[in-house]
Amino acid sequence: MEGQYLYTGSSDGVNKDIQQILNNKKDRIRICSLSNNYQSPVMWSHYANGHRGVVLGVEIDPNKYNVRSIFYDGPMKINLNSLNTNSAIDILTTKLQAWKYEEEERVFTIDGSQFVDIDLKKIIFGSRMNTRDKGLIMDLVESICPEVIVEDSHIS
């Protein structure tokens, strides 16, 4: 469901050249997907192994990266007049209303840069995480970056 758009040009459908241009641009983009909502039971179930994983609270320098909030009114409508150099990223920042609970933000990098520098602020353990994994993570945090806040989730 990612990167879909509706072409609102001629009734003949999407011009193959436009489709190829957009696909080439999308293929060069790397995405780091983040959420502003760490308290959603659905998010914990889908993305944290049924509450057995962790949430990482991070900060990202918005001056260094292209950070965008997702618009949940998609798919994006595009035509020849609206096509521009940012069209691929614009398409990738639009999702269906059904995903609104994610409160997603995306960090975009283009060509080459596969990683995003983050500042780790917090680790939140899932309510069903096993004690051995918690202990290991707590030991690592204490020895490597003791300034990071570590806490339990109370979401089930």
Side-chain angles (χ1 to χ4, degrees), residues 20-31:
Q20 187 63 46
I21 289 167
L22 288 171
N23 286 341
N24 287 342
K25 286 182 181 285
K26 287 193 298 184
D27 286 345
R28 295 176 48 213
I29 296 170
R30 301 293 174 258
I31 302 169

Side-chain angles (χ1 to χ4, degrees), residues 44-144:
W44 277 99
S45 295
H46 289 172
Y47 300 111
N49 192 22
H51 301 257
R52 290 179 205 69
V54 298
V55 165
L56 302 178
V58 301
E59 285 185 1
I60 294 171
D61 183 352
N63 297 315
K64 188 173 179 181
Y65 298 101
N66 183 354
V67 181
R68 296 222 193 153
S69 295
I70 297 298
F71 296 101
Y72 297 96
D73 60 355
M76 183 178 165
K77 294 175 180 67
I78 194 162
N79 59 44
L80 282 174
N81 295 329
S82 65
L83 193 65
N84 61 58
T85 56
N86 290 318
S87 289
I89 288 178
D90 291 342
I91 289 167
L92 291 167
T93 55
T94 307
K95 292 176 79 171
L96 296 173
Q97 180 74 24
W99 299 103
K100 189 174 177 91
Y101 70 91
E102 291 183 335
E103 297 180 38
E104 185 178 353
E105 289 196 18
R106 290 185 172 179
V107 183
F108 292 94
T109 59
I110 299 174
D111 287 339
S113 181
Q114 294 184 13
F115 301 100
V116 175
D117 294 324
I118 61 158
D119 188 8
L120 181 63
K121 297 294 187 180
K122 184 185 279 192
I123 298 175
I124 304 170
F125 297 125
S127 61
R128 296 173 62 195
M129 180 178 239
N130 72 52
T131 54
R132 187 188 66 202
D133 291 344
K134 275 187 188 180
L136 174 63
I137 292 170
M138 289 173 71
D139 289 346
L140 287 170
V141 169
E142 190 175 302
S143 65
I144 297 171

